[in-house]
């Protein structure tokens, strides 16, 4: 389920706290993790530039990210993964099919482009989490939720 748009104040109503411990996948630039921890049972956090779930496990750098996911599922009993994007994320803007830079446009139009870029990025990360879960030898039933927040 993808739930957009939201703000940190609304996120607790969007993410059902009754689902048990959460794994939050988010950007290293984002300040939302501490706000989520105040209201939700966050068990583990995968925080990197862009809040990116790796596509492959071959590189040593991404093996740590994958290990975070595996540990959350196997050791902490996580059955709910929340991918969180934030408005103004440079990685989301740079990898999106909705370009946000290099155009002379109104602030409103620019903001709308940023929102589409972040929504697309969060959806892509949800797809990557789903793909990773499907390739695991034992894949528990995991609920996926996507949010984006406006921290600007």
């Amino acid at each position: 389920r993808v739930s957009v748009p939201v703000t940190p104040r609304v996120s607790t109503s969007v993410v059902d706290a009754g689902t048990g411990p959460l794994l939050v996948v988010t950007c290293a630039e984002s300040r939302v993790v501490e706000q989520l921890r105040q209201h939700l049972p966050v068990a583990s956090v995968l925080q990197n530039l862009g809040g990116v779930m790796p596509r492959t496990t071959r590189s040593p750098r991404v093996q740590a990210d994958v290990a975070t996911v595996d540990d959350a599922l196997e050791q902490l009993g996580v059955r709910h993964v929340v991918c969180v994007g934030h408005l103004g994320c440079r990685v989301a803007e740079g990898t999106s099919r909705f370009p946000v830079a290099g155009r002379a446009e109104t602030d409103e139009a620019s903001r709308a482009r940023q929102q589409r870029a972040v929504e697309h990025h969060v959806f892509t990360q949800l797809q990557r989490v789903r793909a990773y879960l499907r390739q695991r030898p034992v894949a528990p039933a995991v609920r996926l939720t996507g949010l984006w927040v406006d921290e600007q």
Side-chain angles (χ1 to χ4, degrees):
R1 175 177 96 176
V2 179
S3 305
V4 290
V6 298
T7 65
R9 292 184 306 278
V10 182
S11 63
T12 56
S13 64
V14 175
V15 179
D16 179 13
T19 60
L22 305 173
L23 167 64
V24 175
V25 179
T26 189
C27 181
E29 295 176 331
S30 178
R31 301 177 306 270
V32 74
V33 172
E34 289 310 314
Q35 293 169 335
L36 289 174
R37 282 190 175 171
Q38 291 174 7
H39 303 286
L40 298 169
V42 176
S44 186
V45 176
L46 171 55
Q47 195 168 23
N48 57 33
L49 290 177
V52 174
M53 179 64 191
R55 280 189 246 194
T56 178
T57 59
R58 293 182 189 146
S59 126
R61 181 189 65 78
V62 301
Q63 288 197 1
D65 291 347
V66 171
T68 298
V69 174
D70 288 341
D71 184 59
L73 295 171
E74 296 166 12
Q75 304 299 320
L76 303 176
V78 165
R79 296 298 177 261
H80 192 167
V81 178
V82 181
C83 294
V84 183
H86 67 97
L87 211 57
C89 178
R90 292 186 181 119
V91 172
E93 292 172 4
T95 60
S96 173
R97 60 183 173 164
F98 303 102
V100 294
R103 294 179 163 233
E105 58 190 1
T106 66
D107 286 344
E108 186 176 309
S110 176
R111 186 172 182 78
R113 284 183 177 280
Q114 287 180 349
Q115 289 173 351
R116 285 194 303 273
V118 172
E119 289 171 9
H120 179 261
H121 183 71
V122 169
F123 185 73
T124 299
Q125 300 322 307
L126 288 169
Q127 290 176 316
R128 287 183 179 182
V129 171
R130 182 180 298 133
Y132 177 70
L133 293 173
R134 286 183 177 160
Q135 75 179 11
R136 294 181 83 232
V138 177
V142 175
R143 182 177 174 188
L144 301 176
T145 302
L147 326 162
W148 65 263
V149 296
D150 183 352
E151 297 180 321
Q152 296 178 336

